[in-house]
Amino acid sequence: AGLKSVLFIAPMSDDGCRLLDQSCIIYDGHQTQPTIEGTKFYEHNGYYYIFLLLPLPYRRFAHYIFRTKDFRQLEVGLHNPILMPSNEDRGISENGKRVYRTEDAERLLHGLCCNNCDIDMCEYQGKTYINYLTGNQLGTAGYMCEAVCNMPIGDFLEAYFQ
């Protein structure tokens, strides 16, 4: 599997130009995941929340959430995976309908949709906004989606461990 199934972390200088110490492996997917990607970190209340895009059967992918206080032991979220692909991801906004050609919109609405990836989040006015891509990893269908959770991002992250 090589290094594409391993997540390393290392302390860096404030300017991000050099490592301050050796890296350590915080996730090793050699046994079960040939590839991990799309890693995102969020810090909240002394925990580092880590999102990893992991493969599922039948060439599908989904995000899993983990958390750690020390980068030595990872706690696995109780409600994994998150953002499983579904037909709910196929909605095209009114603006999108003006942008997409008819044949492109049809492909997005009816093409194979087997993964959600490239998650990113922010909080705005007490709600968590989640942006992600949905598609098929084949380059024939995919577009950006948005999900909104009616709670602050910290509550959203903690909910996966309760």
Side-chain angles (χ1 to χ4, degrees):
L3 294 179
K4 66 181 188 170
S5 64
V6 178
L7 179 62
F8 292 87
I9 191 164
M12 296 184 72
S13 61
D14 288 341
D15 62 6
C17 291
R18 66 185 191 291
L19 296 179
L20 299 177
D21 202 348
Q22 289 188 322
S23 63
C24 65
I25 295 173
I26 64 169
Y27 185 85
D28 186 345
H30 276 102
Q31 297 300 314
T32 56
Q33 286 90 25
T35 302
I36 58 172
E37 60 181 61
T39 306
K40 301 288 183 182
F41 289 84
Y42 295 90
E43 190 276 328
H44 175 72
N45 280 351
Y47 281 98
Y48 293 92
Y49 291 84
I50 304 166
F51 289 85
L52 293 175
L53 184 66
L54 300 175
L56 300 170
Y58 309 111
R59 292 189 55 129
R60 299 176 307 145
F61 295 84
H63 280 280
Y64 283 71
I65 185 171
F66 302 83
R67 73 178 180 181
T68 182
K69 285 189 172 193
D70 59 11
F71 292 106
R72 288 176 179 76
Q73 291 186 318
L74 291 182
E75 183 180 352
V76 180
L78 300 174
H79 308 289
N80 279 318
I82 64 168
L83 287 175
M84 283 295 291
S86 74
N87 283 333
E88 292 177 11
D89 299 313
R90 295 180 183 272
I92 298 177
S93 68
E94 289 304 314
N95 186 48
K97 289 176 184 174
R98 290 190 294 272
V99 173
Y100 288 115
R101 296 176 302 178
T102 302
E103 60 269 19
D104 293 334
E106 285 298 313
R107 188 177 70 242
L108 295 175
L109 291 172
H110 303 292
L112 176 64
C113 179
C114 58
N115 72 262
N116 290 335
C117 61
D118 301 321
I119 189 173
D120 209 350
M121 293 186 275
C122 69
E123 183 178 323
Y124 180 69
Q125 296 182 342
K127 296 179 181 181
T128 300
Y129 289 82
I130 306 163
N131 294 298
Y132 60 99
L133 297 177
T134 192
N136 61 20
Q137 295 287 335
L138 302 172
T140 59
Y143 52 96
M144 182 166 279
C145 299
E146 180 178 84
V148 181
C149 183
N150 290 318
M151 63 176 67
I153 197 167
D155 293 348
F156 172 81
L157 294 170
E158 289 175 359
Y160 280 92
F161 296 88
Q162 299 173 351

